[in-house]
Amino acid sequence: MSNELQKFTDPGLPAHVHRKADSDPKAAKAAEKQVAILFLLSAIGTVMLIGSYIFVKSNKFIYLPILGDTNLQQLLLGVGMAMSLFFIGMGAVHWAKTLMSDTEVIAQRHEMRSEPEDRTDFVETVKEQAALANLGRRTLIKRSLGLSLGLIGLSPLILLRDLGPLPKNQLATTDWAKGTRLLTDPGDRPIKPSDLEVGSVAQVLPALPTGTERTLENIGKDAVLLIRLRPEDFQLSPERLSWTHEGIIAFSKICSHMGCAVALYEQQTKHLLCPCHQSTFDVTRAAKVIFGPAARPLPQLAITVDAEGYLVAQQPFTEPVGPSFWERSS
Ligand code: FES
C-alpha cells in the first residue's frame, strides 16, 4: 500500500449514542406525539394547498410589507406546498432518529437478483424491523402518516386542472367562411390583389359580422399570411392552384408544430420560417415542411375575389389550424 493510502484509516462505525426514548416509555410517547404533530402539520399544509386552489380567487391580491402586492392564491399555494413537504420530511426524520431501531446494518453486495433464501430472509427482516419500530403499536403515527401521505398523493390531481380544458374541435372552426373578406392587420381594410406586389407578404384577418368583437382568441386562430409570388413559381396540384389568385397564396400563420406565429419570410428562397424551432415551409409547394419538427404543412386558405375585386375566402379552412396534436385531440 502506498504511503498516501496509509494515511487514511477506516473510521469504522460511530459510537452508539443512547437515546432516551429507547429506555424511557414516557420519552418514547412524547417523541411519538411530536412525530404525529409533524405529520398533521403536513396534512394541514396539503389542505391549505388544495383549499386555496379551489376557494381563493386567482385575481385576489393582498399587500405584504416586504413583498408588496402579492397574489393571495399563489402565496397560499406556495406556503401550503412548502408545509406539506417540509413537515412530512421532518416527521419521517424525527421518527427515524427517535423511535426506529438504530441498529447498524451492513449489507454486502450481491447479484442483482438475490437468492431465494435471501429474499425470504429479507421479508422476515422487514417484519422484524417493523415490529422493532413498534409500527403496530404506534397507531397514532401510523394514522397521521397515512393521512399525510394520502393527502400529498391528492395534491398533484389539482395541478392537472392547470393544463386547462381540452381544445376539442375549437381549432377546427375559425371565422373564415365562404365570401369572408380579407382585412389588413393592422388597419382592418379590405385588400385587393393590386395592393400586394410580387415578393410581398401581408397579415390579414377575416371581416367579422357587424357587431362581433374581435378577441385575442379569434386573432390567434384566424391570422393568415398572404404572400404574392409570380404564378409560374408555384408547384401545386391543380386543386391547390385554384385556391390561389393571381399569384397570391394564403396560409394559416399558426405553426403546425407548437402554435408559434410563423413570422419570417425569405423572399429569395420563398420559404416561411417559424422562429420557435426553425420549422421551414416551402411557399411554392403549399407550405410543405422542408426542415424542422413540424409534422404537416401550414393549412392553406382558398382565396378569390368578390364582385368588387376584394380578396375573399372561397371556403373555410379544410383542416384545423395550429399544432397537429390539437387536430388529433378533436
Ligand atoms: S412552433 Fe414552429 S417550429 Fe415549433
Side-chain angles (χ1 to χ4, degrees), residues 57-118:
K57 287 204 168 74
S58 59
N59 57 359
K60 194 168 168 51
F61 283 77
I62 56 163
Y63 181 80
L64 294 176
I66 300 172
L67 300 173
D69 281 337
T70 306
N71 183 299
L72 183 61
Q73 190 194 51
Q74 297 295 322
L75 181 71
L76 293 176
L77 283 174
V79 172
M81 182 167 279
M83 275 181 67
S84 78
L85 297 178
F86 177 75
F87 285 116
I88 202 167
M90 279 280 289
V93 170
H94 194 51
W95 182 15
K97 288 201 166 225
T98 53
L99 294 169
M100 283 187 188
S101 165
D102 65 344
T103 313
E104 295 286 349
V105 177
I106 297 172
Q108 304 297 336
R109 288 192 179 202
H110 297 284
E111 280 179 36
M112 289 300 278
R113 192 179 194 286
S114 308
E115 298 295 325
E117 309 86 67
D118 295 341

Side-chain angles (χ1 to χ4, degrees), residues 175 205-206 208 212-223:
D175 291 305
L205 291 171
L208 298 180
T212 314
E213 212 175 304
R214 205 182 288 292
T215 62
L216 272 180
E217 203 175 303
N218 290 116
I219 296 173
K221 289 198 298 182
D222 295 341

Side-chain angles (χ1 to χ4, degrees), residues 114-134:
S114 308
E115 298 295 325
E117 309 86 67
D118 295 341
R119 292 156 66 85
T120 316
D121 279 355
F122 172 77
V123 174
E124 290 305 316
T125 310
V126 169
K127 283 184 185 162
E128 255 172 48
Q129 294 303 314
L132 275 174
N134 289 320

Side-chain angles (χ1 to χ4, degrees), residues 269-321:
T269 55
K270 303 176 183 60
H271 291 165
L272 276 168
L273 262 83
C274 176
C276 288
H277 313 100
Q278 285 73 53
S279 284
T280 307
F281 306 90
D282 184 351
V283 173
T284 64
R285 290 187 285 164
K288 184 178 168 151
V289 183
I290 53 167
F291 181 78
R296 64 178 181 125
L298 299 170
Q300 184 182 346
L301 181 69
I303 54 168
T304 183
V305 287
D306 62 13
E308 294 171 61
Y310 289 108
L311 286 167
V312 292
Q314 287 187 34
Q315 58 185 17
F317 276 109
T318 55
E319 57 185 312
V321 298

Side-chain angles (χ1 to χ4, degrees), residues 28-38 99 140-141:
K29 198 74 202 158
E32 184 178 358
K33 279 188 186 147
Q34 289 155 7
V35 173
I37 288 169
L38 291 168
L99 294 169
L140 190 56
I141 288 187

